[in-house]
């Protein structure tokens, strides 16, 4: 089925602003601007939505009815919104912002099949220059010109003729109310078909452009602004170190590696046909590494998952919301341990604000850093010195170190591994993932997983060396923050609303390695842990498992969410 929605955007000429000089039809021109812009946004600005509905199948007449009904609702909603902004120095900036938002939304919905919801918008607002650079492509300016070019030219060509304040307020209110009446009528007339459509295809509700961004922005403001005013609620105020610290010969050193965009489906230890984790497989064969194959993430993007991993709350209990509580690192530090966060990503999303933290970019490592970006191995450079710089009294008790990876961050997967460490070729080198052959796209992604395996192998060698010389009882837990879509069902990247997210974005890899000393210290049975490796767990377990492994006692520790407890015996 093909369709076209030709819209003749009205010429917005501006007569003189004084009431006595206005021509007789001047008062109709704001209405023409509002309706013209709303029709343009609803048609051209929503091409991805209409194409998505067209691709669903069904009779052409049925699809036309659905498009007409939903189109009328979108037009009416935009008209109501635009009338409320019909003021001097307000309408045109707002209209410009809506056009540009619609244009960029269209580009990313076309390019990666993403949808715009509050979590996606939050992710966008917290991105950095390097991530933005990876998303740029030559097709973006063309899409922006297609969607926003003509109406922007018409919008700014001449000024609008507006009444004085109170008469204009009356017209604005009347125009908005009239649009709401049209919206209600359109919704009632098309309710049955649209209700069924939205129930069966929930992603469509996040594609109405630019209303999706307006809604997402409002939700973020409502959710986040009140929480910015109030300080975080303390947790684990009773935290204290357990009996294992009383006469310890060596302090514990636990490394938490937080992966980025690694999906279990392409992880060699989880049964992937390719051996993308040869290094971890060797450690597993030695008996001290446990693979957890059924792990579910808290969110589908870093902005949600990263704070949730360290939250005392479960995902369903509010861990996936904007944090209101302190996190795991605060509890560990309060108990008296040394904590350090080393970042090779776009920041810790507030998790590390109250503990010592550093960036891999603090000092560029030759061969590992270039152009403001570093391979993950750069986090290991100078790590001994970073630990030595921590508070000596805390360090003598024990250290928890967090390494936040660049991992497999897309769409520039080809940039995530050195050219000399790519076993799968040819690979996709474009950020326009849909332009690449699927095999080349998978090759590029798998190469990034292989490099993560290399980084984890290096980390384990570093930990084992410290354990072998008797300085610490060491261990490592690795878990990815979320997964990734590589074209399955037309989806790319991540960030799909959790309720409709595919398993590729929520099923993530996780491993644990514990030195003989840490096993003895915690009374760990590795055979028992390996027996739990295929049991379903989630990010909800990280907070409580780390407390259990580090022998930190507090009332907020939930044994039911501690994967260590069933396999640990008092020593």
């Amino acid at each position: 089925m093909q369709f076209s929605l030709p819209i003749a955007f009205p010429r917005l000429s501006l007569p003189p602003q004084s009431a006595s000089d206005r021509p007789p039809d001047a008062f109709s021109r704001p209405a023409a601007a509002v309706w013209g812009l709303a029709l343009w946004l609803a048609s051209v600005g929503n091409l991805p939505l209409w194409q998505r509905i067209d691709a669903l199948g069904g009779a052409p007449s049925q699809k036309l009815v659905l498009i007409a009904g939903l189109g009328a609702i979108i037009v009416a909603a935009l008209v109501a919104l635009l009338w409320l902004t019909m003021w001097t120095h307000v309408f045109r900036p707002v209209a410009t912002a809506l056009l540009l938002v619609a244009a960029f939304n269209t580009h990313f919905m076309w390019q990666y099949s993403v949808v715009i919801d509050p979590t996606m918008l939050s992710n966008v607002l917290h991105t950095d220059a390097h991530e933005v650079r990876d998303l740029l492509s030559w097709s973006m300016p063309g899409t922006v010109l297609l969607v926003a070019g003509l109406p922007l030219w018409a919008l700014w060509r001449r000024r609008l003729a507006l009444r004085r304040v109170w008469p204009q307020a009356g017209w604005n209110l009347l125009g908005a109310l009239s649009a709401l009446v049209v919206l209600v009528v359109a919704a009632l007339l098309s309710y049955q078909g649209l209700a069924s459509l939205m129930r069966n295809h929930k992603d469509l509700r996040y594609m109405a452009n630019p209303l999706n961004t307006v809604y997402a922005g409002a939700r973020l403001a409502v959710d986040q602004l009140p929480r910015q005013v109030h300080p975080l609620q303390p947790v684990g105020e009773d935290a204290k170190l357990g009996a294992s610290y009383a006469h310890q010969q060596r302090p514990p050193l636990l490394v938490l590696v937080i992966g980025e965009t690694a999906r279990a489906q392409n992880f060699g230890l989880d049964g992937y046909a390719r051996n993308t984790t040869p290094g971890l497989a060797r450690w597993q064969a030695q008996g001290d590494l446990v693979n957890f194959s059924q792990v579910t993430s808290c969110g589908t993007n870093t902005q949600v998952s990263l704070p949730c991993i360290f939250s005392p709350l479960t995902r369903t209990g509010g861990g996936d919301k904007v944090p209101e509580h302190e996190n795991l690192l605060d509890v560990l530090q309060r108990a008296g341990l040394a904590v350090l966060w080393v970042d090779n990503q776009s920041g810790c999303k507030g998790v590390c604000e109250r503990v010592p933290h550093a960036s891999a970019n603090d000092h560029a490592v030759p061969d590992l850093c270039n152009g403001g970006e570093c391979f993950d191995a750069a986090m290991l450079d100078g790590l001994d010195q970073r630990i030595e710089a921590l508070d000596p009294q805390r360090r003598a008790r024990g250290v928890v170190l967090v390494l936040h990876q660049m991992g497999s961050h897309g769409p520039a997967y080809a940039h995530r591994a050195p050219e000399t460490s790519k076993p799968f070729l040819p690979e996709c080198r474009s950020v326009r993932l849909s332009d690449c052959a699927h095999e080349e796209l998978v090759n590029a992604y798998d190469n990034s997983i292989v490099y993560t395996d290399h980084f984890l192998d290096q980390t384990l060698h570093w930990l084992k060396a410290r354990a072998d010389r008797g300085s610490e009882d060491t261990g490592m837990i690795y878990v990815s923050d979320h997964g990734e879509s590589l074209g399955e069902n037309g989806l790319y990247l991540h960030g799909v609303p959790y309720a409709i997210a595919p398993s590729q974005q929520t099923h993530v890899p996780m491993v644990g390695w514990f030195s003989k000393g840490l096993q003895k210290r915690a009374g760990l049975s590795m055979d028992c842990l390996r027996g739990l490796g295929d049991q379903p767990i989630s990010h909800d377990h990280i907070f409580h498992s780390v407390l259990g492994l580090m022998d930190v006692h507090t009332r907020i520790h939930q044994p039911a969410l501690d994967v260590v407890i069933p396999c640990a015996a008092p020593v």
Side-chain angles (χ1 to χ4, degrees), residues 267 270 290-293 295 477-479 508-512 537 542:
F267 211 67
D270 288 326
V290 177
N291 180 57
F292 298 92
S293 62
V295 182
I477 295 175
Y478 161 81
V479 66
V508 296
M510 175 175 165
V511 300
I537 61 174
I542 303 296

Side-chain angles (χ1 to χ4, degrees), residues 250-253 384 387-388 395 398-399 462-474 515 517-518:
R250 294 175 301 276
L253 168 60
D384 294 301
I387 292 176
E388 288 298 318
R395 193 177 71 243
V399 177
W462 175 77
L463 285 170
K464 188 174 187 302
R466 294 182 72 100
D468 288 347
R469 64 174 180 257
S471 57
E472 291 112 349
D473 295 327
T474 61
S515 69
L518 189 59

Side-chain angles (χ1 to χ4, degrees), residues 68-83:
L70 184 55
I73 292 173
I74 293 174
V75 168
L78 287 168
V79 167
L81 175 64
L82 290 170
W83 266 119

Side-chain angles (χ1 to χ4, degrees), residues 274-434:
R274 284 177 163 175
N275 187 15
T276 54
T277 55
L280 292 176
R282 289 191 295 270
W283 289 96
Q284 186 181 41
Q286 295 172 16
D288 295 329
L289 185 140
V290 177
N291 180 57
F292 298 92
S293 62
Q294 303 297 322
V295 182
T296 304
S297 69
C298 184
T300 62
N301 61 61
T302 306
Q303 185 63 30
V304 171
S305 281
L306 191 60
C308 190
I309 288 172
F310 293 87
S311 172
L313 306 178
T314 63
R315 186 185 71 83
T316 56
D320 61 342
K321 309 301 181 187
V322 178
E324 295 183 343
H325 299 81
E326 293 177 342
N327 60 63
L328 173 63
L329 303 186
D330 296 296
V331 178
L332 295 171
Q333 187 167 253
R334 182 171 288 123
L337 298 174
V339 180
L340 174 64
W341 181 291
V342 182
D343 204 279
N344 193 34
Q345 251 284 350
S346 58
C348 66
K349 314 305 179 188
V351 176
C352 66
E353 287 183 353
R354 295 166 299 282
V355 302
H357 52 274
S359 171
N361 278 303
D362 287 347
H363 60 279
V365 182
D367 301 325
L368 292 177
C369 297
N370 183 35
E373 284 192 4
C374 297
F375 294 117
D376 287 325
M379 289 190 287
L380 299 177
D381 188 81
L383 195 51
D384 294 301
Q385 291 78 13
R386 292 188 193 275
I387 292 176
E388 288 298 318
L390 296 173
D391 179 89
Q393 291 185 334
R394 291 180 175 274
R395 193 177 71 243
R397 300 185 191 105
V399 177
V400 175
L401 170 66
V402 184
L403 303 178
H404 186 203
Q405 280 188 273
M406 177 62 76
S408 300
H409 196 287
Y413 307 120
H415 295 169
R416 304 299 168 240
E419 295 299 324
T420 56
S421 304
K422 296 184 176 182
F424 306 114
L425 297 172
E427 66 174 359
C428 173
R429 303 191 67 85
S430 172
V431 297
R432 289 174 53 89
L433 302 182
S434 58

Side-chain angles (χ1 to χ4, degrees), residues 81 159 377 549:
L81 175 64
R159 293 176 300 171
L549 187 63

Side-chain angles (χ1 to χ4, degrees), residues 59-174:
S61 58
Q62 182 183 16
K63 287 189 283 190
L64 280 174
V65 170
L66 290 173
I67 290 172
L70 184 55
I73 292 173
I74 293 174
V75 168
L78 287 168
V79 167
L81 175 64
L82 290 170
W83 266 119
L84 296 177
T85 68
M86 185 55 73
W87 302 98
T88 305
H89 308 308
V90 175
F91 176 76
R92 287 192 294 180
V94 170
T96 298
L98 291 176
L99 282 165
L100 292 175
V101 165
F104 284 106
N105 284 354
T106 297
H107 169 76
F108 289 110
M109 285 193 281
W110 264 341
Q111 191 73 41
Y112 303 112
S113 298
V114 301
V115 294
I116 311 300
D117 73 327
T119 57
M120 177 62 76
L121 182 59
S122 178
N123 211 35
V124 170
L125 294 176
H126 288 85
T127 193
D128 63 11
H130 297 117
E131 292 177 340
V132 171
R133 182 185 64 191
D134 288 343
L135 292 169
L136 297 179
S137 67
W138 290 108
S139 62
M140 182 182 291
T143 305
V144 172
L145 284 174
L146 170 67
V147 176
L150 179 59
L152 282 175
W153 174 81
L155 184 67
W156 288 94
R157 188 182 179 197
R158 295 184 182 179
R159 293 176 300 171
L160 289 170
L162 299 174
R163 293 172 170 80
R164 298 183 185 278
V165 173
W166 289 110
Q168 187 63 47
W171 278 101
N172 292 357
L173 181 60
L174 180 62

